[in-house]
Amino acid sequence: MIRVQSYAPDGFIALDNSALIYPPTEARFNANTYRVSIDLKQVIVPEILDLAVQEMLQRCSYAKVSLHKGFFWYFLSPNHKTPILHEEGSFPSGRIFRKENNGYLFKVLYSKHRIALECFHALTDGSGALVYLKMIVSEYCRLAGIAEFTFSGALDFSKRPSKQEFSDPFQHFFDPKIPGTPSTGRAYHRIGTGSYDDRVKVISATVDAKTLRERCKSRGYTVTVYLCSILLWALQELQKQEVPVQKRRKPLKLSVPMNLRNIFHFDTMRNFTLFAVPGIEPALGEYTFEEILQKIYLDMAFSQDPKRIRSQIRRNVGGERHILMRFAPTAIKNPLFKLLSDSLGDDLYTAVISNLGYVSIPPELESSLTRMDFYLCPGQMNKVALAIVGWKDKVTINFSSFFNTDTDLERLFCQFLVQDGVPVEIATNRSDEHKEQ
Amino acid sequence: MAYCVMCGVKLEDGAVQCPLCRTEVLLPSHVVEKPAEPLFPHPLPEKGTGGISKTSKGIIELILPLLVVSEVTIALTMWYSGNFSHSFIPLFSTAMAALVIAMALVSRHSYVAQTTTHLILVSLYLLGIDGSSGPLSWSVIAVGGIAILWLYAVFTTTRTARTCPLGSASLLMLATLGYLAMINLVVVGKLSWFFPVALPTSLVLFAGVGLFFLLFLTRKRTRLPLADLIFFNLIVLFLTFTALDLFLNRYGSGIWTLSWSVSLFSASVALMLLLISVSVSRRIRRFFTSQNRHS
């Protein structure tokens, strides 16, 4: 099949299928960003970091792009400006104002000990961003004389980029012969208590990786299934308070991004994620934690079936290739995307939980690494998001929230972990607000 | 390093309270903790970055092109039909309709903000329509009415009105009288019927309402019977109409007499007698209560 961009002028890089929705829906409460960061013992030198970022961009030229609004679609084109380093602020995963960032779709931030990479979702997904961060950190450590090492899973600076790295995997796996997955029904959305604004309030829970793994193993489930189940259990408890009548309780569903690189063995640096939507139906009765674990496990296994994923890809890419979508101008598509994205996306799940997995740290870096984080941006419908990353002997569970004072979900989640024998250590950027009350 | 006694989580060094449940950290007086390095170097800003949400943005993006297309279409149609001189009202109406939808999304989503914005827009629209055909006339009365509506329906729900009820009631009375005077001035050109008819009738109404509040709302720990409420309102209403009839007759023919309001006056007297007898005599009250009938 001939792709539309084959006829495109030089410098036109089509967004991947998953990225199409992000630029038109970017607004207040919809930053469509996320962040990965690494804290080192050494003090970060911005000049060296700048060199490391430029080295990374030299190798990954597909990240050296800016976003433009075309007549039919948003598109990427090479960006010849120099990337800007930003000083760390007060909260993660805020909106990226591209004009203040020389047009780049990612933002490198630094503080005394931290190197952070915030990405707009149109560029890549969490796994892609982690690869960029690994490259920046390894190059920084080399240039700063800290250590020379290569992260497992990072790209080799000495090799030329492969075709897979910058190709749109969704187009590659699109099969017009199979039917698309039907859309699921609406899910419950927490009302919460108190006000909210677009500052991202963080509660970061750090747990011991070994203890967590042992708890999961004793129950016979993976870490992702275990943590998803705790989140669903906490949501069930909160829904009971907000909706006292059982039969009126809407389904509780989670959006769990699946890294399709592992399933399809396709090493792309663009978005290659689809979402599993495991959930329970509290209208049918209260679920015990064991029942939730089992339900999540089955739902996740069902969602990870490659045939089912291909069907999802068929639906998404089929929509993009529809004649009306292809030839409708952006002036019409943009407002429609904004108005429909909720009913086709955020409305279908109650919360987002993303597990980046365990990041293996090279032995040369182990002594220097003090912390690693992964943050998602919350949304207007689902105001609390949960991001998990494992590093060394720790697992960091970061809650990012728009609520100013409501921390009920975080509290129930952490209390469950503690009661289940997993010690939790808490850090937050909420401290000032709490002192005011 | 402290633990939260409620949640059991380990807190940061120097934490004043648990961020999850807000339980205060109570350390022995001799223990002084050095604050841990904060998660982010700067404290949260006082306000967010602002801007409008995705849905609002989408609707505005849809409305703006539609508005431009509609305006151009109307202008061209009027031009070709030779009625361009009359195109102000359709063009202005379309623009105002778009503005109303846009403002509904942009302004704060509260009853007071939304109603105030929309009443202002409706007033501007009426003034615009009226002003397009010469000096302002009927729109002044309409806008005055909208202002009175705002006072009664919106201002009374605000915190200011609730904290100062007497002041608010006085403001409402004065505004109503002012509005009646304005109608008189706009319609007749001078204050003709305001002093002999409108002012005394309004005073009767205000006195009735004042009496209602004095008699019923000052009673403590007593549930107000619904029948009492309805009857008293009817009495106030009937007496006001009687007063209107009386002052109108005096203004029109110079005689103090009642014409069409005699029946209303009789009804109000009957209701008043019933209310008085019910409140004075326990036997009569019992006669009308359900307990009496059931027993």
Side-chain angles (χ1 to χ4, degrees), chain A residues 249-263:
Chain A
R249 289 176 194 155
K250 281 188 184 173
L252 292 171
K253 294 181 199 170
L254 298 179
S255 170
V256 189
M258 299 180 287
N259 186 2
L260 302 185
R261 292 170 185 84
N262 304 334
I263 298 170

Side-chain angles (χ1 to χ4, degrees), chain A residues 25-28 30 35 88-92 114 198-199 201-203 334-335 338-339 341-342 371 380 405 407 410-411 414-415 418 424-429 432-435 437, chain B residues 1 3 6-12 14 16-22 37-59 61-62 65:
Chain A
T25 56
E26 196 271 338
R28 189 188 188 197
N30 273 77
R35 162 203 279 237
E88 176 73 296
S90 52
F91 60 84
R114 181 176 300 158
D198 60 351
R199 296 171 300 164
K201 274 72 75 176
V202 168
I203 285 184
N334 274 359
K338 284 186 182 77
L339 297 174
S341 64
D342 275 347
R371 190 180 168 90
Q380 188 160 25
T405 50
T407 53
E410 292 92 323
R411 179 175 52 78
C414 293
Q415 280 177 347
V418 171
V424 178
E425 204 178 318
I426 293 288
T428 182
N429 66 347
D432 283 335
E433 268 178 288
H434 283 265
K435 277 174 199 165
Q437 290 163 12
Chain B
M1 188 169 273
Y3 283 82
M6 294 293 285
C7 306
V9 296
K10 199 189 256 186
L11 303 172
E12 284 177 293
V16 185
Q17 59 182 1
C18 170
L20 300 173
C21 63
R22 293 177 211 161
E37 199 174 315
L39 203 54
F40 291 91
H42 302 289
L44 278 174
E46 292 204 349
K47 282 180 183 173
T49 48
I52 55 172
S53 70
K54 178 178 66 176
T55 315
S56 309
K57 227 175 172 178
I59 293 175
E61 278 179 15
L62 262 183

Side-chain angles (χ1 to χ4, degrees), chain B residues 3-295:
Chain B
Y3 283 82
C4 171
V5 288
M6 294 293 285
C7 306
V9 296
K10 199 189 256 186
L11 303 172
E12 284 177 293
D13 280 346
V16 185
Q17 59 182 1
C18 170
L20 300 173
C21 63
R22 293 177 211 161
T23 305
E24 275 188 47
V25 176
L26 298 171
L27 290 173
S29 55
H30 64 276
V31 178
V32 182
E33 271 189 346
K34 194 183 159 198
E37 199 174 315
L39 203 54
F40 291 91
H42 302 289
L44 278 174
E46 292 204 349
K47 282 180 183 173
T49 48
I52 55 172
S53 70
K54 178 178 66 176
T55 315
S56 309
K57 227 175 172 178
I59 293 175
I60 291 170
E61 278 179 15
L62 262 183
I63 288 170
L64 277 177
L66 281 174
L67 173 68
V68 172
V69 170
S70 315
E71 295 283 35
V72 170
T73 313
I74 292 167
L76 286 175
T77 313
M78 298 298 269
W79 176 269
Y80 282 114
S81 62
N83 295 315
F84 194 70
S85 55
H86 301 293
S87 61
F88 175 78
I89 290 178
L91 287 173
F92 182 61
S93 306
T94 315
M96 285 303 288
L99 193 63
V100 164
I101 301 170
M103 287 303 285
L105 297 163
V106 174
S107 48
R108 207 152 47 87
H109 289 246
S110 70
Y111 170 70
V112 175
Q114 287 283 333
T115 328
T116 309
T117 314
H118 283 90
L119 289 179
I120 291 171
L121 288 173
V122 170
S123 306
L124 286 175
Y125 177 65
L126 294 175
L127 289 170
I129 295 287
D130 190 19
S132 68
S133 57
L136 296 176
S137 56
W138 55 266
S139 64
V140 180
I141 297 172
V143 171
I146 289 170
I148 293 292
L149 176 71
W150 182 85
L151 274 174
Y152 278 92
V154 182
F155 173 71
T156 45
T157 64
T158 60
R159 196 180 293 166
T160 321
R162 283 199 297 269
T163 47
C164 182
L166 273 177
S168 308
S170 315
L171 178 71
L172 289 178
M173 279 195 289
L174 286 173
T176 312
L177 289 173
Y179 179 53
L180 289 171
M182 192 190 76
I183 294 174
N184 194 189
L185 275 173
V186 171
V187 175
V188 187
K190 58 176 182 173
L191 290 173
S192 54
W193 47 259
F194 176 71
F195 284 112
V197 181
L199 184 64
T201 313
S202 305
L203 288 177
V204 169
L205 176 69
F206 295 148
V209 174
L211 196 66
F212 169 80
F213 278 101
L214 201 71
L215 285 178
F216 289 101
L217 295 190
T218 49
R219 288 201 300 191
K220 284 181 182 166
R221 291 180 189 175
T222 317
R223 228 180 97 245
L224 206 61
L226 186 66
D228 288 16
L229 253 175
I230 295 169
F231 285 160
F232 202 89
N233 274 314
L234 284 175
I235 292 168
V236 170
L237 210 64
F238 290 170
L239 284 179
T240 309
F241 280 118
T242 310
L244 177 67
D245 187 23
L246 186 74
F247 296 126
L248 262 179
N249 285 335
R250 170 87 180 103
Y251 176 66
S253 53
I255 313 160
W256 290 101
T257 181
L258 292 178
S259 51
W260 49 265
S261 67
V262 176
S263 53
L264 287 178
F265 182 67
S266 320
S268 66
V269 170
L271 283 173
M272 213 184 307
L273 286 173
L274 177 73
L275 268 186
I276 290 168
S277 57
V278 159
S279 49
V280 169
S281 160
R282 192 173 287 176
R283 281 187 69 181
I284 299 174
R285 181 183 286 275
R286 275 201 189 148
F287 180 78
F288 287 108
T289 53
S290 55
Q291 292 96 323
N292 185 44
R293 266 178 273 145
H294 287 300
S295 61

Side-chain angles (χ1 to χ4, degrees), chain A residues 13-67:
Chain A
I13 306 161
L15 289 171
D16 62 76
N17 173 260
S18 168
L20 289 172
I21 193 73
Y22 298 116
T25 56
E26 196 271 338
R28 189 188 188 197
F29 300 118
N30 273 77
N32 297 333
T33 58
Y34 52 86
R35 162 203 279 237
V36 277
S37 69
I38 277 182
D39 285 26
L40 300 175
K41 270 184 192 159
Q42 289 79 5
V43 175
I44 305 298
V45 184
E47 291 77 20
I48 301 176
L49 181 61
D50 193 28
L51 286 175
V53 173
Q54 286 185 30
E55 284 293 313
M56 184 276 287
L57 286 177
Q58 189 80 15
R59 166 66 178 78
C60 307
S61 52
Y62 37 80
K64 205 170 166 26
V65 288
S66 54
L67 186 71

Side-chain angles (χ1 to χ4, degrees), chain A residues 359-380:
Chain A
V359 179
S360 66
I361 307 296
E364 296 88 344
L365 186 66
E366 275 201 354
S367 57
S368 301
L369 183 76
T370 56
R371 190 180 168 90
M372 202 166 169
D373 281 295
F374 175 40
Y375 295 100
L376 297 177
C377 69
Q380 188 160 25

